């Protein structure tokens, strides 16, 4: 792991001292699970469950904050089993799916979800024509229930297709009162009013968090970085972690610590657990 500045090392030390009141928020894809061509095969890193259980013993709570539907993240991450084990230690695992629109916890064990947003039906009606006009009819469209994601990763030239689609999809989303969320060779369209930053704020308020670590890898995590930055300005110990890759490291310049992919994230969490136990 690489601290981006001496201040980053100081922030890590302050987080260790406040670990007992800290909430650790983690993105799923690219942070806990490797990025793969088929998102339905993006299983959590095989060592992540044990790392999260150990981590939960020394912090106030662990939360997964993802753009995925909550049920999908639970299944791909085996998070219900992880939550059971964390519960055995008197702690709780939280899951915020679809950027916070869906909620689950290892205590309540029920996914709370709103209705699909207005405008989504019209967006879907016009989507095939938009894809054809952008010479991207072969893009894979993922139905997330409350959102739809257009993936270009499987196309012959995924980056070029992504760039062709970004403008037209943004225009179509705006026309239907929806918001566009760019990611790694994926463009998601969903309801406005919720993002990962609000999920961070909700956790801090509900748990009376005394510190916050957030780890993410892509543009969908920017709002969470913004929220944690605001917490730091209010005097809370915080740490921003970028899970970088050879493909993208959009958050590296804003992070206190840069690690390489899910393995790097897990190494950092192991270190945090060990340092908190010995402090």
């Amino acid at each position: 792991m690489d601290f981006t500045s001496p201040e980053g090392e100081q922030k890590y030390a302050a987080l260790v001292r406040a670990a007992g009141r800290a909430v650790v928020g983690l993105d799923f894809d690219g942070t806990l699970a490797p990025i793969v061509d088929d998102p339905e095969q993006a299983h959590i890193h095989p060592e992540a469950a044990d790392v999260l259980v150990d981590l939960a013993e020394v912090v106030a709570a662990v939360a997964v904050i993802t753009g995925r539907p909550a049920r999908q993240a639970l299944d791909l991450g085996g998070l219900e089993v992880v939550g059971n084990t964390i519960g055995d230690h008197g702690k709780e695992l939280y899951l915020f799916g679809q950027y916070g629109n869906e909620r689950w916890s290892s205590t309540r064990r029920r996914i709370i979800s709103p209705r699909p947003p207005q405008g989504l039906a019209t967006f879907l009606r016009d989507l095939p024509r938009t894809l054809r006009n952008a010479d991207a009819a072969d893009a894979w469209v993922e139905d997330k229930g409350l959102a739809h994601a257009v993936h270009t990763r499987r196309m012959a030239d995924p980056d070029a297709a992504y760039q062709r689609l970004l403008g037209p999809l943004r225009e179509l989303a705006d026309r239907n009162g929806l918001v566009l969320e760019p990611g790694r060779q994926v463009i998601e369209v969903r309801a406005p009013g919720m993002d990962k930053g609000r999920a961070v704020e909700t956790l801090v308020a509900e748990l009376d968090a005394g510190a916050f670590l957030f780890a993410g890898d892509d543009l969908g995590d920017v709002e969470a970085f913004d929220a944690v930055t605001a917490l730091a300005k209010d005097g809370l110990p915080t740490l921003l972690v970028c899970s970088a890759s050879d493909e993208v490291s959009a958050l590296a310049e804003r992070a206190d610590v840069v690690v390489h992919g899910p393995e790097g994230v897990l190494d950092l969490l192991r270190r945090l657990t060990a340092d908190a136990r010995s402090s």
Side-chain angles (χ1 to χ4, degrees):
M1 91 179 178
D2 296 315
F3 290 106
T4 57
S5 68
E7 183 186 8
E9 294 188 67
Q10 295 167 8
K11 292 176 76 172
Y12 174 80
L15 185 81
V16 169
R17 291 193 295 270
R21 295 190 60 207
V23 175
V24 175
L26 304 162
D27 175 40
F28 189 85
D29 291 281
T31 302
L32 288 176
I35 298 293
V36 294
D37 288 343
D38 184 353
E40 295 179 357
Q41 299 300 317
H43 294 282
I44 199 169
H45 190 284
E47 298 176 14
D50 290 339
V51 171
L52 295 182
V53 169
D54 286 345
L55 173 68
E57 294 183 14
V58 301
V59 299
V62 178
V64 176
I65 308 173
T66 176
R68 283 185 178 273
R71 170 47 55 191
Q72 192 179 71
L74 286 169
D75 292 343
L76 290 173
L79 295 180
E80 288 177 298
V81 174
V82 175
N84 285 340
T85 308
I86 288 176
D88 292 340
H89 295 280
K91 298 295 181 69
E92 191 158 9
L93 175 68
Y94 295 85
L95 172 66
F96 286 73
Q98 304 220 35
Y99 296 89
N101 279 304
E102 296 180 326
R103 291 188 60 176
W104 175 94
S105 74
S106 55
T107 297
R108 293 186 177 181
R109 308 193 65 78
R110 180 171 67 90
I111 296 171
I112 300 172
S113 178
R115 292 186 171 197
Q118 290 185 348
L120 188 58
T122 306
F123 172 87
L124 291 175
R125 183 196 67 195
D126 295 337
L127 179 59
R129 181 171 64 250
T130 301
L131 295 179
R132 289 194 301 271
N133 289 344
D135 192 23
D138 292 337
W140 176 51
V141 179
E142 179 186 6
D143 182 355
K144 294 188 170 185
L146 301 178
H148 275 68
V150 179
H151 296 262
T152 65
R153 181 174 293 275
R154 301 177 183 176
M155 300 182 70
D157 190 342
D159 291 331
Y162 179 93
Q163 293 301 324
R164 291 196 305 273
L165 280 169
L166 199 55
L169 287 181
R170 190 182 300 279
E171 180 180 340
L172 183 58
D174 289 345
R175 202 159 63 231
N176 289 284
L178 304 170
V179 297
L180 182 143
E181 192 78 53
R184 286 199 212 182
Q185 298 175 345
V186 58
I187 303 168
E188 182 166 320
V189 175
R190 56 185 174 84
M194 179 55 76
D195 56 48
K196 292 186 180 184
R198 294 196 180 191
V200 168
E201 293 165 357
T202 297
L203 284 164
V204 171
E206 293 185 0
L207 302 178
D208 191 25
F212 206 102
L213 179 154
F214 183 81
D217 75 309
D218 204 0
L219 295 174
D221 300 309
V222 166
E223 289 85 357
F225 267 50
D226 290 342
V228 174
T229 299
L231 293 173
K233 290 179 179 177
D234 289 339
L236 224 67
T238 63
L239 195 73
L240 288 171
V241 181
C242 172
S243 175
S245 71
D246 296 334
E247 187 175 288
V248 65
S249 53
L251 303 175
E253 292 183 358
R254 297 190 56 185
D256 302 306
V257 183
V258 176
V259 300
H260 191 80
E263 290 190 2
V265 171
L266 296 182
D267 285 343
L268 170 63
L269 297 181
R270 289 188 189 96
R271 176 173 170 179
L272 173 60
T273 301
D275 289 346
R277 282 176 172 156
S278 63
S279 65

